[in-house]
């Protein structure tokens, strides 16, 4: 089990591909500089618009399995025929230093992280407004082939079945509205007693007799 002080908020966001998750994560990072987006390791091919170290750490299967055997991952999963993993170094130190961490992973990874963090995390699931809309959004991405889009569509339907393992489930009808809802969730979490480590000192200084 992973031991950490309860400081930064760990926010996990899952959704089927094409639900606007990546855009929302980027907006959150622009909105608040105290949020760190955990960069995952993957063995999948880099897409045209992706940057090493920003979107993912792109590794060979051999390197991925080495990291796994060194116990570097807090979770890892086989998704869409590729390995994906979240590095401990992208999460634990940041939380200890009071930095909120945002993780974009699938339901399998979310289950593992829930266990590793002993439930000390907030889980959000994003749903598309409809299956037709999801299909449209997936087809608009030029970076994937038709076969990949069809494959992702079938995986999306499987991912949706796990919506009830999350704390919050939002239907992404409108990107701005969904973003605002996530900000509200995050700000409420930051106010939890367990996150406000300065409180005992503050109360002491109130000099209550
Ligand atoms: P994509 O290849 O489209 O970037 O991501 C495919 C799926 O893998 C998405 O559902 C995404 O959330 C998930 N994913 C990305 N990084 C990780 C990770 O580190 N661990 C796990 N379990 N899933 C991940």
């Amino acid at each position: 089990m992973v031991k950490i002080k309860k400081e930064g908020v760990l926010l996990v966001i899952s959704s089927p591909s094409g639900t606007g998750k990546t855009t929302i994560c980027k907006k959150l990072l622009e909105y608040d500089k105290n949020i760190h987006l955990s960069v995952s390791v993957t063995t999948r091919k880099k897409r045209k618009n992706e940057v090493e170290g920003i979107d993912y750490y792109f590794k060979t299967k051999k390197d991925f399995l080495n990291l796994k055997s060194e116990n570097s991952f807090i979770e890892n999963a086989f998704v869409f025929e590729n390995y994906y993993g979240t590095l401990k170094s992208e999460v634990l130190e940041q939380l200890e230093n009071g930095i909120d961490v945002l993780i974009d992973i699938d339901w399998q990874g979310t289950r593992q992280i829930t266990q590793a963090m002993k439930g000390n995390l907030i889980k959000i699931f994003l749903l598309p407004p409809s299956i037709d809309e999801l299909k449209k959004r997936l087809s608009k991405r030029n970076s994937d082939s038709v076969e990949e889009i069809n494959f992702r569509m079938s995986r999306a339907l499987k991912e949706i079945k796990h919506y009830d393992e999350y704390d919050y489930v939002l239907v992404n009808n409108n990107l701005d509205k969904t973003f605002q809802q996530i900000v509200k969730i995050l700000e409420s979490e930051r106010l939890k007693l367990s996150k406000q480590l300065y409180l005992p000192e503050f109360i002491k200084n109130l000099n209550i007799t």
Side-chain angles (χ1 to χ4, degrees):
M1 280 299 156
V2 177
K3 276 191 185 163
I4 61 147
K5 282 188 265 168
K6 292 180 184 175
E7 292 171 336
V9 173
L10 177 56
L11 204 64
V12 172
I13 304 190
S14 301
S15 75
S17 303
T19 311
K21 183 177 47 176
T22 309
T23 313
I24 287 177
C25 287
K26 282 187 180 152
K27 269 172 86 77
L28 277 167
L29 298 182
E30 281 164 22
Y31 162 81
D32 192 326
K33 301 290 172 219
N34 195 48
I35 303 173
H36 171 72
L37 177 66
S38 164
V39 178
S40 295
V41 177
T42 184
T43 58
R44 92 147 154 72
K45 275 196 205 131
K46 187 153 84 72
R47 296 189 186 123
K48 267 185 228 153
N49 53 341
E50 288 179 325
V51 180
E52 162 70 24
I54 292 189
D55 296 288
Y56 282 104
Y57 299 111
F58 296 94
K59 300 278 183 209
T60 60
K61 190 176 161 195
K62 184 168 172 266
D63 287 347
F64 187 97
L65 294 176
N66 273 342
L67 284 167
K68 190 173 168 176
S69 65
E70 287 163 5
N71 205 17
S72 304
F73 293 122
I74 193 165
E75 67 75 34
N76 66 92
F78 194 63
V79 190
F80 302 139
E81 304 193 316
N82 284 300
Y83 290 99
Y84 291 82
T86 305
L87 292 166
K88 288 180 183 167
S89 58
E90 287 283 321
V91 178
L92 301 180
E93 210 177 293
Q94 288 78 359
L95 292 176
E96 277 176 12
N97 289 328
I99 296 165
D100 299 328
V101 178
L102 184 60
I103 310 188
D104 159 0
I105 50 174
D106 78 328
W107 66 271
Q108 305 174 72
T110 305
R111 271 193 187 172
Q112 291 176 50
I113 288 207
T114 304
Q115 250 195 333
M117 301 304 294
K118 296 186 181 164
N120 186 18
L121 76 172
I122 294 300
K123 298 179 276 187
I124 300 178
F125 196 88
L126 299 184
L127 285 170
S130 68
I131 295 302
D132 277 352
E133 185 58 34
L134 182 67
K135 255 187 213 158
K136 252 191 247 162
R137 290 186 195 174
L138 277 178
S139 311
K140 263 194 218 155
R141 282 186 181 180
N142 298 322
S143 47
D144 294 326
S145 65
V146 175
E147 293 77 37
E148 191 153 353
I149 290 168
N150 289 339
F151 184 55
R152 275 166 191 264
M153 196 60 213
S154 73
R155 289 301 304 239
L157 304 181
K158 287 185 187 145
E159 180 89 20
I160 288 174
K161 289 189 181 150
H162 294 274
Y163 78 94
D164 59 356
E165 296 175 27
Y166 289 74
D167 302 305
Y168 297 92
V169 180
L170 312 179
V171 178
N172 187 20
N173 279 311
N174 175 298
L175 210 70
D176 283 332
K177 191 174 161 219
T178 306
F179 167 70
Q180 289 302 336
Q181 286 172 330
I182 295 178
V183 167
K184 277 187 200 157
I185 294 168
L186 177 63
E187 288 183 346
S188 306
E189 283 305 314
R190 284 175 173 166
L191 293 176
K192 283 227 172 113
L193 183 59
S194 58
K195 301 292 173 196
Q196 302 193 61
L197 296 180
Y198 66 90
L199 270 180
E201 190 63 28
F202 178 79
I203 298 292
K204 200 173 139 201
N205 289 336
L206 289 179
N207 284 325
I208 303 169
T209 51

